[in-house]
Amino acid sequence: MALKIKDIAEDAGVSIATVSRVLNNSQPVSKELRERVMSSVNRLGYRPNILARGLRMKRTFVVGIIVPNISNAYFTDIVRAAEDVALEAGYVVTVASSDQDLVRERRYVDVLRNRLVDGALVAVAHRFESDLTPLTGADVPVVLADRRLEGCTDCDSVTVDVRQGAAMAVAHLAQRGYQRIAMISGPLDVSTAADKLDGYKQALSAHGLPVDDSLILMGDYTEESGVRLGRELLQRPDAPQAVLVANNLMTLGFFRVVQEFGLRVPHDIAFVSFDDSAWASLVTPPVTLVDQPTYEVGRAAMELLLDRLEGDEARPSEPKHQVLRPTLIVRGSS
Amino acid sequence: MALKIKDIAEDAGVSIATVSRVLNNSQPVSKELRERVMSSVNRLGYRPNILARGLRMKRTFVVGIIVPNISNAYFTDIVRAAEDVALEAGYVVTVASSDQDLVRERRYVDVLRNRLVDGALVAVAHRFESDLTPLTGADVPVVLADRRLEGCTDCDSVTVDVRQGAAMAVAHLAQRGYQRIAMISGPLDVSTAADKLDGYKQALSAHGLPVDDSLILMGDYTEESGVRLGRELLQRPDAPQAVLVANNLMTLGFFRVVQEFGLRVPHDIAFVSFDDSAWASLVTPPVTLVDQPTYEVGRAAMELLLDRLEGDEARPSEPKHQVLRPTLIVRGSS
DNA sequence: CTGAAAGCGCTTACAG
DNA sequence: CTGAAAGCGCTTACAG
């Protein structure tokens, strides 16, 4: 069996209360007893049972993370950053992928709640219908990362100003002289997709270009939809001159179609994507894109969450909303 | 406060023991009481406190995962698979990246141990010096995924036969008529790198080609080393005709150098990589590579682990070692 | 089949 | 500053 606090108490000749106080620095202990305790702890290699402690303190020192797709490098980076910050602070992280599916998401929200996580960081599947009340209702602090959830007024959030990102991309294309600029959009149930579309429309107007609904195709942020919509768009007799593609995976699919059709980029078709990746600078030509500070999103979100966890729960502060800025990286595809 | 078992017991008019028995199906309960309990549970929405249960049962239903680099799609896939399997079985997963660093790895091994995880799945940083004894010594079952750990005789493992993978790659290049075939190797402290190098040498000999040590460059599985060694190799007056690159990240770096030098592939330089990825089929020309069943590795490893956890701990079975087969995907780079 | 009670390993009022 | 004791919410012998 593993050592317990009683073993240390006996070895050091003190009460278990004293051992606990030394280990947690929770109350003053005389220097002498403190040293006796620490020497026993070190010599015997004692580690407190975190379950017993959690049961008493009603804390698990675990935070949950739910993202739409952990295999997408965009979210992998966010998770990685959040994890780094959490581990540093003595928390452990548990991650799940909702697969952009409300039922799966709901299931994992329940799992987190049943697991008694101290807090959660979530990139929601749906900006209206995602339901985090099993957590928030149980007073578990939740931070929204990357995506807004419309009803969630008491949650902190860290997002990227992708509306401006899309606007920058369109401005860039317009300056290059492209007039017919299409957009392969993400699912509008996701706030980032809605924002990107907004930015696209707004920038078209700002540059005196018409907003043509037939040039707006609705995808779902998957590679498959990039392929499907790419084909649909590029087969048209009146194909556009340029395309804004709303995320990395759809760009992957779109690029395959461009190759499949043997189009020369940017001569036959120009495009701008969202999200930098290992391959975006490697393909021919390299892809112009709106880069998002993914690591920063994860880091900032976890920091907000830890603030809540370490802060005074009795007097919760106002929800904080951090908005980070994207960057346009101009390369050969535009 | 959240509901506790006592609340249900009172509501249903039974003892807490009965509630526990119904919820866990641990002992027979009469149909009538069972129904009373279940109706109370459902009506009130009771969820057992997993900490209290864990404290009693000495189980957390948490499994730990440590991989060298969660941002590498290769490991992301493994983790994703393991996670899917674990969640399905009612376990939750906690993940950490060792960054291929023994100190960090050691730290996370300790974290997992202190967290009282029921089991762990690890892709070790070093085939000799990784130390999992804090876990195995505490009778926590460990499954090695992707990489062997030489001393760990009591651990199950799931690996890929990359020696054969490398041999297939070299055989392919030899058949294509390449004579001077270099290798950008991974760090030999990692079993997969050692195996790949073995397979490379073996296949050269099998095809009557000399093993030239000057054509074997030691990298560390990072993109940076792919760049560095790529430059070193391709600048030589007697540059090789073909190269085998031992993983996806080094290929990324190597490919950048090929572009930087303006080399035509495969005319000026042919190469074969390990690990399929989103971009490998997208670049020009697409990359010939040894594909590994990453999802299968994660799935199989977690299944072995769950077998241990659900099995009879008193009579542990022999360690199991699964070896999966890689596939050669021939594309334009060779 | 059912219940009263012990005990898992901690933390923290409470009393001194 | 220190210790004895209660209690966190469960599971499981033990007795019936």
Side-chain angles (χ1 to χ4, degrees), chain B residues 184-187 218-231 247 249-250 253-254:
Chain B
I184 296 185
S185 167
M218 287 302 155
D220 61 4
Y221 275 165
T222 65
E223 179 175 349
E224 182 278 327
S225 74
V227 169
R228 182 167 44 80
L229 299 178
R231 285 195 186 127
N247 85 334
L249 296 185
M250 291 196 302
F254 181 79

Side-chain angles (χ1 to χ4, degrees), chain A residues 113-127:
Chain A
R113 178 224 177 184
N114 292 343
R115 284 286 165 170
L116 305 172
V117 294
D118 289 344
L121 190 158
V122 12
V124 294
H126 198 293
R127 66 178 163 138

Side-chain angles (χ1 to χ4, degrees), chain B residues 5 8 18-26 34 37-38 41 46-48 53:
Chain B
I5 198 169
I8 301 304
T18 298
V19 176
S20 173
R21 285 168 187 140
V22 170
L23 257 26
N24 297 301
N25 260 314
S26 51
R34 176 181 303 278
V37 168
M38 284 316 293
V41 165
Y46 166 72
R47 304 292 178 147
R53 185 215 292 228

